[in-house]
Amino acid sequence: MLAHREVYREVPPKVEYPLAERGISHNEALASSGNGALNACGESGPEKGTVDGSGAAQR
């Protein structure tokens, strides 16, 4: 399980999905991959540009 579903009995209904321990470990790996992709494109953040499906940086 990556996330835990927490339901609060309120009106209006409230549901939260905090990361479970396994989700936290995946999050660290995904963050590393995302940062590597930004570095490979020479970008420092999404405001600088995007990457299309071919991997080419778009400005």
Side-chain angles (χ1 to χ4, degrees), residues 2 6 11 15 17 22 25 29 31 43-44 46 54 58-59:
L2 297 178
E6 184 73 34
V11 176
V15 180
Y17 294 89
R22 184 173 179 194
S25 67
E43 305 293 340
S44 62
S54 69
Q58 303 292 312
R59 295 195 187 276

Side-chain angles (χ1 to χ4, degrees), residues 40-58:
C41 292
E43 305 293 340
S44 62
E47 67 281 353
K48 296 279 187 168
T50 59
V51 178
D52 67 15
S54 69
Q58 303 292 312

Side-chain angles (χ1 to χ4, degrees), residues 4-25:
H4 171 74
R5 184 172 187 243
E6 184 73 34
V7 180
Y8 298 90
R9 299 191 184 278
E10 299 178 357
V11 176
K14 177 181 173 182
V15 180
E16 293 181 350
Y17 294 89
L19 288 176
E21 187 174 324
R22 184 173 179 194
I24 292 170
S25 67

Side-chain angles (χ1 to χ4, degrees), residues 24-34:
I24 292 170
S25 67
H26 285 12
N27 191 36
E28 293 168 359
L30 291 173
S32 175
S33 296

